[in-house]
Amino acid sequence: MNVEKKRRQEQQTVKTIIGIYCHGHHHRREPGEKLCPECQALAAYAVERIEKCPRMEVKSFCSVCPIHCYAPAKREEIQKVMRYGGPRMLLHHPLMTLHHMFLTWQTKRLEEKTNCDM
Ligand code: SF4
Ligand SMILES: [Zn+2]
């Protein structure tokens, strides 16, 4: 898959998971907003990290990334969100989850192939 397409999908996935977390915790949102201000800030941060991600071609989950480019406080925040929202993704967005699982599988294969070729 095209790296830029993967980047956009990753950004969409992280925003969706943050949305599940925000709604699930009944955070107070301004009228017309999908996220509360704190979750909006976290989503903007995560989207920016993915925008600058140097491992986009081979990355699967940020949680297993050897670089982990998040600041410590943000890392803790996103881990909390992922623990809650990740498992609920399958229920709320089954197609997006399956697609993400497929991308992860594809990435793992690419990584294995790269390791074998070295
Ligand atoms: S944590 Fe790793 S995979 Fe995730 S955005 Fe940062 S560098 Fe990329
Ligand atoms: Zn929120």
Side-chain angles (χ1 to χ4, degrees):
M1 169 188 281
N2 169 308
V3 174
E4 283 316 305
K5 195 170 173 198
K6 185 179 175 195
R7 194 186 306 276
R8 300 298 153 241
Q9 283 179 351
E10 287 268 333
Q11 288 171 329
Q12 192 50 53
T13 303
V14 78
K15 283 194 280 187
T16 302
I17 296 177
I18 294 173
I20 292 172
Y21 176 85
C22 189
H23 287 233
H25 286 77
H26 308 290
H27 291 172
R28 194 154 165 232
R29 284 167 275 140
E30 294 297 326
E33 295 292 350
K34 288 184 179 161
L35 301 172
C36 75
E38 289 77 19
C39 291
Q40 261 180 37
L42 181 63
Y45 183 85
V47 163
E48 195 225 341
R49 292 291 86 204
I50 294 169
E51 191 62 42
K52 296 181 177 162
C53 177
R55 302 191 76 245
M56 189 47 60
E57 209 165 340
V58 295
K59 93 183 268 302
S60 54
F61 295 107
C62 289
S63 54
V64 294
C65 172
I67 300 174
H68 219 301
C69 64
Y70 282 58
K74 292 287 182 199
R75 185 177 182 170
E76 227 174 90
E77 264 185 77
I78 198 77
Q79 282 172 344
K80 194 168 65 176
V81 167
M82 290 295 160
R83 268 198 301 273
Y84 180 88
R88 286 167 175 82
M89 267 290 279
L90 190 58
L91 196 67
H92 295 272
H93 301 276
L95 285 181
M96 194 188 273
T97 310
L98 288 175
H99 189 70
H100 195 257
M101 284 163 77
F102 173 70
L103 280 185
T104 305
W105 171 79
Q106 235 184 5
T107 302
K108 275 197 183 130
R109 277 195 57 195
L110 182 70
E111 254 179 335
E112 279 165 14
K113 191 174 176 313
T114 310
N115 289 341
C116 285
D117 290 348
M118 285 185 350

